Amino acid sequence: MAASSSGSTPSAAPSLAPHPSPSSDPPAKRPDEPPSTVTPSPQPQSSPIGGISDGYSGINPSALDDFERGLGRAEDSLGRNEQIIDRTLRQLGQDTSGLGALREMRNWLTTSRPDLRRRSETIRAQQGEWSAGAGATGGLRDFDESLYGRAAHDPDVYAAVTTLTEAVDKGEVDAKTLTALEKRKGDAAFATALMTSLGGAGFRELVAKAAEHGDDKKVQRLQAALGAALGTASSRFSPAWRDQLASPSPADPKQAYAVALALKNGKADTSFLVAVARKLDAWDRARSRQLTPSPDPMVPLMEALAADPAAAQDFFAKDATALKHFLTERYTQDGGAALGKALEASMLTFRDHDGTPSQPSRGYISAALASEFAHLEAQRIEVGDPPASLVPTTATGHILAGYISDINRVADSGSDPGAPGVRGADYSQMAGQDPWGAWFNKKELRSLLKENFSDSKAFTLVTVAQTAFAARLLDS
């Protein structure tokens, strides 16, 4: 027997079991047959990962190949003999309308055989390229009809889901599984089909289970490949899929950490990255403030934002509370190192004088963030919070060095601007060409410089920038 099913089988596949299929009419009941007392057994529940669900078939790929070839011979025989039978009946003056059944049967064989071949290829892919330890291709093999449908009948997608699910459950990654996934991580069509088959929640739980075995080098390669595949497909996801991904259990920081790690390991679409980062941030803020979760999901999240300056800028600039929250409230387990890199990316990458205050360019937003950053840091110093409590002094030094011309203008100014803001290019002979600048309050700036200059590295960063600025003035 090539296959047997405990669930429904697709209409294109032949029914190989001796009993009627669920869609066929039930057999007639004998008059003397007693009423049935059998209670139907409940259907098995789907696994949360999505690789295991109801609707199973048992498939022997070797037997299925033989069966498909037999159907091919039948199809060829029907095609060869139909015209002969038709001609003979007409010569005898007989009705030929019954030959329509032969044509329908041949059409059914034509449409059914490709699906049978794909099912066999799917089993062989799972046991061949995607797994070295699956054994021979003979014998009856479990076949998940539901997953096969979600995978759009793609052998590689089906094999990827089943082998990856097994790998993270065991914490042992087959080298062939890893190689096959790494080979396809940049294939947008495959990556999208893989993520769609898993679902947003399924992918989140898959990477969370992988993170439990993060000390293993193969598992680390698996995490990197999954993150890369997520980034490759990220521009194609629906909002619903994205929201499922970024909705970890409130009591399980490991899920949030695993999603953030996947974002770090890939190169996600900017809008996708910002949207997921915002939901993870909201999840984090909703938790108890008593303890920083371990592992801390905000560390890889900030590393992901630092690698995409546009995403980092949108994350901090388009939420009026974000900068203050991370500068004054949210301690991170790495001492703010990743946060500092994300802040630098958001304020130093884009420097231009494009746009207007009403239609700001990214350079304008950079200057606005730098001004607000200095203001918030000065407020922290004023209330007596310890130096570099949330952001390293070297990160602050890099940001101040990037706005050294604005620091000099404040030092020469007789008055202090009242609130953070953006300065237009109106100072030198290059007016209209200088990048948008940041307004700094002189008193606030003095306290910020004093604190950071206690660190020789931060002092060096600012003095090197000051030397370069002085040389520029002399040259002009």
Side-chain angles (χ1 to χ4, degrees), residues 427-440:
Y427 180 77
S428 69
Q429 294 178 352
M430 299 179 67
Q433 299 178 30
D434 286 349
W436 293 104
W439 280 119
F440 296 123

Side-chain angles (χ1 to χ4, degrees), residues 65-359:
D65 288 344
D66 292 339
F67 180 67
E68 187 275 326
R69 285 191 291 268
L71 292 182
R73 290 190 294 271
E75 179 184 353
D76 293 339
S77 178
L78 288 174
R80 288 193 307 270
N81 294 315
E82 179 191 345
Q83 293 182 353
I84 297 175
I85 297 172
D86 180 81
R87 185 170 57 251
T88 301
L89 290 176
R90 291 182 184 278
Q91 289 175 348
L92 296 174
Q94 299 297 317
D95 180 21
T96 61
S97 60
L99 294 177
L102 294 180
R103 286 190 289 271
E104 290 181 8
M105 181 178 294
R106 186 165 182 255
N107 289 337
W108 178 83
L109 292 172
T110 301
T111 57
S112 297
R113 288 178 59 210
D115 182 66
L116 296 178
R117 286 194 295 267
R118 281 194 298 271
R119 288 166 181 266
S120 179
E121 290 167 3
T122 299
I123 292 292
R124 293 181 188 280
Q126 184 181 0
Q127 298 174 339
E129 181 181 7
W130 284 88
S131 177
T137 57
L140 199 63
R141 302 289 174 175
D142 287 342
F143 192 80
D144 187 338
E145 297 287 350
S146 177
L147 173 58
Y148 183 61
R150 296 198 308 275
H153 300 181
D154 186 308
D156 282 321
V157 174
Y158 180 98
V161 173
T162 54
T163 55
L164 290 172
T165 300
E166 181 179 3
V168 298
D169 283 341
K170 294 181 177 179
E172 300 175 0
V173 183
D174 192 306
K176 294 188 73 173
T177 300
L178 188 55
T179 300
L181 179 62
E182 289 177 331
K183 184 172 70 174
R184 293 171 176 83
K185 65 185 180 182
D187 183 336
F190 169 82
T192 303
L194 173 62
M195 301 300 164
T196 302
S197 299
L198 286 166
F203 180 79
R204 166 168 45 82
E205 295 177 20
L206 180 71
V207 293
K209 283 194 173 184
E212 294 176 2
H213 311 284
D215 294 336
D216 183 271
K217 290 185 177 180
K218 284 185 179 180
V219 174
Q220 290 174 355
R221 283 176 59 193
L222 174 62
Q223 290 174 315
L226 287 170
L230 175 68
T232 298
S234 57
S235 63
R236 302 182 175 198
F237 294 136
S238 67
W241 194 99
R242 180 193 66 207
D243 291 344
Q244 289 176 8
L245 172 71
S247 300
S249 166
D252 190 357
K254 291 182 179 179
Q255 286 192 2
Y257 177 83
V259 172
L261 188 62
L263 294 173
K264 171 193 170 183
N265 286 331
K267 187 172 178 56
D269 173 74
T270 295
S271 60
F272 174 86
L273 174 56
V274 173
V276 175
R278 287 202 186 289
K279 285 191 71 70
L280 290 178
D281 178 35
W283 169 88
D284 182 68
R285 296 197 204 192
R287 297 181 72 255
S288 169
R289 288 278 135 313
Q290 296 178 354
L291 295 173
T292 300
S294 181
D296 187 353
M298 293 299 107
V299 173
L301 181 63
M302 289 299 149
E303 290 175 322
L305 291 172
D308 186 341
Q313 189 175 89
D314 288 346
F315 179 80
F316 289 112
K318 294 185 178 180
D319 179 353
T321 68
L323 196 58
K324 182 177 181 180
H325 172 68
F326 282 96
L327 289 179
T328 64
E329 299 172 0
R330 180 53 160 87
Y331 171 81
T332 53
Q333 287 182 341
D334 66 340
L339 171 62
K341 293 296 183 184
L343 292 173
E344 290 178 40
S346 70
M347 300 176 199
L348 300 177
T349 304
F350 307 103
R351 300 302 306 276
D352 59 56
H353 196 77
D354 299 332
T356 64
S358 60
Q359 294 182 322

